[in-house]
Amino acid sequence: MDLLQLREKEIFETLKRIIKYKFAVIGGYSVNAYTLPRFSVDCDIVVEDKDELKKIEKELAKSG
């Protein structure tokens, strides 16, 4: 598996860990859902509010 595939796998695994929280995927990964894939090595999200952000931060901190 090449580095880009590993990175994509890591992003999807991370999104699965926070799926119970209120957020939306934006940027390159969201665009890929509607058009031809474009290169992106990060995944941008928007969180509903500060309380939700704290929950997501805590969840992500557990996984490093």
Side-chain angles (χ1 to χ4, degrees), residues 1-53:
M1 194 177 293
D2 69 21
L3 289 177
L4 186 57
Q5 288 173 320
L6 287 172
R7 181 67 176 152
E8 190 167 83
K9 183 178 188 290
E10 178 183 17
I11 288 171
F12 286 123
E13 291 300 319
T14 300
L15 290 174
K16 286 179 190 176
R17 285 196 296 277
I18 64 170
I19 195 72
K20 61 187 170 192
Y21 304 108
K22 296 177 183 173
F23 69 94
V25 176
I26 62 171
Y29 272 89
S30 64
V31 170
N32 289 346
Y34 296 100
T35 187
L36 294 174
R38 55 174 245 157
F39 178 75
S40 185
V41 294
D42 67 336
C43 182
D44 307 302
I45 64 171
V46 173
V47 179
E48 182 177 13
D49 57 34
K50 288 182 181 182
D51 291 332
E52 209 67 6
L53 175 61

Side-chain angles (χ1 to χ4, degrees), residues 50-63:
K50 288 182 181 182
D51 291 332
E52 209 67 6
L53 175 61
K54 289 177 187 176
K55 294 174 191 174
I56 291 172
E57 286 177 330
K58 191 173 185 178
E59 184 71 33
L60 294 177
K62 286 193 285 186
S63 63

